[in-house]
Amino acid sequence: MLTSWMTRENVCPTLPLYGADVVAVMPHDYPMILVDSLYGERDGWWCFGLEVTEETFFVERGRMSRNGVIEHVAQGAAARAGYLTLVRQQPLRPGFLVALDKVQLPMPPCVGAHLETRLRIILDFEGYQVAEAITEAGAEMVFSGRMKLYAKPE
């Protein structure tokens, strides 16, 4: 579903995006939404975030699971891809997390933490991408590593 500013005539929405506007560029839906802000790109790094609440998927006993953190990073890559396909007037394509590499997940974040993630694509070849990402909650590193992603080429 396109929100008010997302029409085929107005295909270059202004970043940052928040809430439902982020969801509109992703191939995900509630309650499985783990990105609530897409800030934009700088020097090849895309930035996005999530406010961790009790209602956040993957939160149990006041902490987000490590699987939830990984999914947050993967959904950020999806939000980036969805935004770029909208700008290019292409259809959204589902993508898949294929593999993880060099991952560090020292401590899952607590409810109330604001996750800020930086992600850049370091390889893009025939639908496969390798992304490296860093997620922080305040001064604490929550995730560092690489993801291999796949979306069927057009």
Side-chain angles (χ1 to χ4, degrees):
M1 176 167 79
L2 299 177
T3 59
S4 59
W5 56 262
M6 288 188 208
T7 65
R8 293 300 170 200
E9 294 77 38
N10 179 18
V11 295
C12 195
T14 303
L15 293 172
L17 302 179
Y18 299 100
D21 290 336
V22 177
V23 176
V25 300
M26 295 173 50
H28 295 80
D29 207 350
Y30 293 104
M32 185 69 167
I33 298 297
L34 297 174
V35 174
D36 61 15
S37 50
L38 179 62
Y39 303 120
E41 179 268 338
R42 184 174 182 175
D43 298 328
W45 289 89
W46 282 79
C47 300
F48 51 93
L50 174 69
E51 191 73 32
V52 179
T53 69
E54 286 288 346
E55 291 76 37
T56 301
F57 211 81
F58 290 109
V59 168
E60 290 184 13
R61 289 181 245 128
R63 285 203 178 271
M64 182 181 220
S65 72
R66 287 178 168 88
N67 288 338
V69 174
I70 291 167
E71 182 63 22
H72 160 73
V73 177
Q75 284 190 21
R80 172 203 162 272
Y83 175 80
L84 291 174
T85 59
L86 179 71
V87 168
R88 295 173 186 149
Q89 298 186 9
Q90 299 169 337
L92 283 177
R93 296 177 299 148
F96 305 93
L97 173 59
V98 178
L100 297 168
D101 187 33
K102 300 181 183 177
V103 170
Q104 295 179 16
L105 287 157
M107 179 61 78
C110 295
V111 166
H114 181 78
L115 304 184
E116 294 211 357
T117 301
R118 298 181 311 277
L119 175 139
R120 70 180 178 147
I121 303 301
I122 58 175
L123 175 69
D124 190 347
F125 180 73
E126 294 185 6
Y128 286 94
Q129 293 182 331
V130 176
E132 75 178 335
I134 300 164
T135 301
E136 296 172 329
E140 298 291 320
M141 195 265 287
V142 175
F143 174 92
S144 175
R146 292 182 175 180
M147 292 186 158
K148 294 174 180 133
L149 307 160
Y150 178 76
K152 185 176 178 183
E154 295 177 46

